[in-house]
């Protein structure tokens, strides 16, 4: 549990760094508001949907977990939590209806951000967070976590992830 708390604190700091924009980005941000935040949110909700669906059908426990915990991440000061939950439910529905094709598509989208280490750390952090929604990590969840970690080129082990986040400061 101490590692999850430590990871959350570091992820908050990284979100702030990712959201800090140079002047040109601030001007572009005025034209296309919340684009970076929306991209981050999308990637994070891909991981949440993958993790939740690895347990089977999405349930209220996972949704409640997201409602309670999204506010602790800096990003969600800029994005409505209802919007986050809607994305989560859309991706979870896609996984439910499209099966392995939907899962493969989301994994490819996660692979596409693997060159952005801080974003990958945020995504891995929330993927780890999703494993605590039910308090017990099922083998299918651990497998999914390892697959997400491989796609992002991040460690699946939470202790190693905390070390990596600290070293990237």
């Amino acid at each position: 549990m101490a590692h999850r708390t430590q990871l959350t604190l570091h992820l908050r700091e990284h979100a702030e760094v990712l959201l800090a924009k140079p002047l040109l980005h601030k001007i572009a941000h005025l034209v296309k508001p919340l684009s970076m935040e929306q991209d981050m949110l999308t990637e994070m909700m891909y991981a949440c949907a993958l993790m939740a669906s690895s347990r089977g059908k999405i349930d209220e426990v996972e949704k409640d977990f997201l409602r309670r915990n999204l506010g602790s991440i800096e990003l969600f000061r800029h994005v409505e939590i209802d919007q986050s939950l809607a994305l989560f439910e859309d991706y979870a529905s896609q996984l439910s209806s499209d099966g392995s094709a939907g899962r493969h598509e989301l994994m490819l989208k996660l692979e596409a951000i693997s060159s952005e280490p801080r974003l990958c750390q945020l995504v891995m952090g929330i993927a780890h967070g999703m494993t605590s929604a039910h308090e017990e990590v099922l083998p299918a969840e651990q497998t999914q976590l390892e697959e997400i970690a491989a796609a992002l080129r991040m460690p699946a082990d939470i202790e190693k992830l905390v070390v990596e986040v600290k070293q990237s400061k």
Side-chain angles (χ1 to χ4, degrees):
M1 189 59 140
H3 289 297
R4 288 192 197 285
T5 303
Q6 201 173 22
L7 182 61
T8 299
L9 292 173
H10 288 289
L11 292 174
R12 286 181 195 165
E13 292 171 18
H14 284 295
E16 188 62 39
V17 170
L18 283 167
L19 294 173
K21 301 174 185 76
L23 182 60
L24 184 58
H25 286 153
K26 286 182 182 181
I27 293 169
H29 190 72
L30 292 173
V31 176
K32 188 177 179 186
L34 298 178
S35 61
M36 183 176 183
E37 290 89 341
Q38 185 63 42
D39 292 345
M40 290 171 61
L41 171 67
T42 299
E43 300 299 334
M44 293 169 83
M45 291 304 104
Y46 290 156
C48 288
L50 285 162
M51 290 304 301
S53 69
S54 69
R55 285 189 78 91
K57 188 175 182 204
I58 306 301
D59 60 28
E60 285 302 313
V61 172
E62 287 125 351
K63 293 175 190 176
D64 289 342
F65 177 82
L66 284 173
R67 276 186 203 96
R68 284 191 317 271
N69 291 286
L70 290 178
S72 70
I73 300 172
E74 183 68 25
L75 165 65
F76 296 98
R77 290 186 185 174
H78 306 276
V79 178
E80 292 291 324
I81 290 178
D82 289 341
Q83 178 188 5
S84 307
L85 287 171
L87 279 175
F88 168 74
E89 289 173 351
D90 286 348
Y91 300 140
S93 175
Q94 176 184 344
L95 289 168
S96 177
S97 64
D98 296 345
S100 62
R103 188 184 160 289
H104 180 70
E105 182 181 337
L106 291 185
M107 291 300 293
L108 287 175
K109 290 177 179 183
L110 288 176
E111 273 182 38
I113 66 162
S114 64
S115 63
E116 300 288 336
R118 288 192 171 161
L119 179 55
C120 291
Q121 290 167 351
L122 286 168
V123 172
M124 275 308 299
I126 200 153
H128 270 286
M130 287 300 291
T131 65
S132 65
H134 288 278
E135 298 180 9
E136 177 188 355
V137 180
L138 298 179
E141 285 178 299
Q142 184 60 40
T143 299
Q144 184 62 71
L145 191 62
E146 290 168 3
E147 290 174 4
I148 291 171
L152 298 173
R153 294 186 235 153
M154 290 277 127
D157 180 77
I158 193 165
E159 292 177 18
K160 290 178 183 174
L161 182 61
V162 168
V163 169
E164 185 168 313
V165 169
K166 285 181 178 179
Q167 290 174 345
S168 69
K169 280 186 153 185

